[in-house]
Amino acid sequence: MTLKPGPEIAGQGADRAVKQPFRAFPRRPSMHVLALIAAGLYVVGPLPAAKADPNPQSQEYFPKPAPLNGDTVPFLPLGSSTTPSAPTLGVIGDSVARDYAYYLARELGPDGVRVVDGAIPNCPAGTLPLIERARGGKVLPRGGACPKFVLTKQSGLVTDFHPKVILWHSMVEIYDVYNGQLEIASGSPEWERRVLAQWEDTLTRITRNGAQVVTVMPLWYEHNPPVPLNAPGPSIEKLRDLYTRWASRHRDHVTLVDVAPVACPSGPPCGPVNGVEFRPDNSHFSDAGGSRVAAYLKSHVPALARLSGAG
């Protein structure tokens, strides 16, 4: 599969990430190594510690403002209610999750809802170490600091803001997994096992105070043709299928929502809808698109409607 990723997949702030060369395979790999390769696991050796990057990452087309001193602690996007006693929506995940925080703050803030950004752009919803392919090489997203940033920001979100509802969007799990010695191919059975384990861990962490979770399915890349679910390698379709199966195990805590009916009603490839280009860079919402998606979520997700007093 040839991806034409936008900033979330191509890596916003990739220049900040520390690029590290991967070790080549030995000329005569052992049977153990050959077995790992067959399983979709690739021996790459340890990477030196990378410098952490606490700075907020800009979005290429439509900036969603973050505090100038960094985006690694929870903050209230523009438009959010600032009343501490207000019903609170937390948002976790990647830079598309930041889009949701920004547009939902504009949509729900006037109804008295406090929206808190708990997202870390270019990081997953959990602490799974990932490898990003960007600019012809392989890098550690946000300098390898994603696990630390995710734990810190999600803990602050839950402890300090006590959200009643947490909206979750993350598509960066489409990256290969890296555990310090092995590169685990995206789409492989071991990748699936590790992603599911991290989602379980994240769900436990963010619902410890009783919050309900609304998980938004990742959309296909704008203008890219559909990819069969059984095709080898990474694909959004595999990630969507994984979310569907995972959410079905947690019906008491997780509501799975798909915004495709408004943003990509005919399915991939996704193009303009009634003249609106929802995601000009393949991943992130335009102002017109984000506003429509936020309104759709408010009217179609009972948990969000209840926060705003409309349900």
Side-chain angles (χ1 to χ4, degrees), residues 28-106:
R28 296 180 179 178
S30 67
M31 293 301 295
H32 176 65
V33 169
L34 291 175
L36 290 173
I37 295 172
L41 312 177
Y42 301 92
V43 179
V44 296
L47 295 179
K51 182 180 179 181
D53 170 24
N55 298 317
Q57 299 181 6
S58 63
Q59 295 192 9
E60 184 175 354
Y61 291 92
F62 300 92
K64 281 74 181 180
L68 294 178
N69 62 345
D71 68 348
T72 58
V73 296
F75 67 90
L76 275 59
L78 295 175
S80 168
S81 170
T82 59
T83 304
S85 60
T88 299
L89 168 69
V91 180
I92 69 165
D94 52 20
S95 63
V96 178
R98 171 146 306 157
D99 278 16
Y100 284 114
Y102 178 78
Y103 290 111
L104 284 168
R106 290 192 350 190

Side-chain angles (χ1 to χ4, degrees), residues 123-140:
C123 294
T127 57
L128 197 63
L130 300 168
I131 300 172
E132 174 188 5
R133 287 174 170 79
R135 302 173 188 258
K138 296 178 181 180
V139 298
L140 299 172

Side-chain angles (χ1 to χ4, degrees), residues 11-295:
Q12 292 184 357
D15 289 337
R16 299 193 189 104
V18 178
K19 298 184 180 181
Q20 303 290 352
F22 280 63
R23 294 182 179 178
F25 287 111
R27 292 184 180 179
R28 296 180 179 178
S30 67
M31 293 301 295
H32 176 65
V33 169
L34 291 175
L36 290 173
I37 295 172
L41 312 177
Y42 301 92
V43 179
V44 296
L47 295 179
K51 182 180 179 181
D53 170 24
N55 298 317
Q57 299 181 6
S58 63
Q59 295 192 9
E60 184 175 354
Y61 291 92
F62 300 92
K64 281 74 181 180
L68 294 178
N69 62 345
D71 68 348
T72 58
V73 296
F75 67 90
L76 275 59
L78 295 175
S80 168
S81 170
T82 59
T83 304
S85 60
T88 299
L89 168 69
V91 180
I92 69 165
D94 52 20
S95 63
V96 178
R98 171 146 306 157
D99 278 16
Y100 284 114
Y102 178 78
Y103 290 111
L104 284 168
R106 290 192 350 190
E107 179 70 28
L108 302 178
D111 296 331
V113 176
R114 185 173 62 165
V115 178
V116 184
D117 182 301
I120 298 287
N122 216 21
C123 294
T127 57
L128 197 63
L130 300 168
I131 300 172
E132 174 188 5
R133 287 174 170 79
R135 302 173 188 258
K138 296 178 181 180
V139 298
L140 299 172
R142 298 202 76 164
C146 281
K148 180 183 73 173
F149 288 163
V150 167
L151 278 177
T152 299
K153 196 164 185 179
Q154 289 180 6
S155 295
L157 172 67
V158 173
T159 301
D160 299 337
F161 293 93
H162 306 284
K164 292 183 177 179
V165 180
I166 295 178
L167 185 137
W168 164 332
H169 178 282
S170 181
M171 62 193 290
V172 297
E173 286 86 351
I174 201 172
Y175 296 158
D176 292 347
V177 174
Y178 177 65
N179 74 349
Q181 293 289 336
L182 298 175
E183 180 179 350
I184 301 163
S186 176
S188 68
E190 181 62 14
W191 164 86
E192 177 176 316
R193 186 188 72 79
R194 292 183 184 235
V195 169
L196 287 172
Q198 279 300 297
W199 288 351
E200 294 291 331
D201 178 67
T202 300
L203 185 64
T204 299
R205 181 168 58 252
I206 65 176
T207 59
R208 65 176 184 264
N209 289 338
Q212 290 293 304
V213 174
V214 174
T215 300
V216 183
M217 294 271 271
L219 291 170
W220 306 274
Y221 298 115
E222 194 94 351
H223 309 304
N224 281 21
V227 176
L229 184 60
N230 60 355
S235 75
I236 290 296
E237 202 61 70
K238 288 183 181 179
L239 201 54
R240 286 171 62 89
D241 176 68
L242 200 59
Y243 269 120
T244 300
R245 289 187 280 122
W246 173 73
S248 69
R249 306 175 188 174
H250 300 286
R251 297 184 189 277
D252 292 341
H253 302 289
V254 178
T255 299
L256 191 64
V257 180
D258 195 356
V259 298
V262 62
C264 186
S266 61
C270 305
V273 181
N274 296 325
V276 175
E277 188 80 45
F278 275 77
R279 296 171 297 137
D281 68 349
N282 283 336
S283 303
H284 303 95
F285 291 112
S286 66
D287 199 64
S291 297
R292 283 167 172 76
V293 166

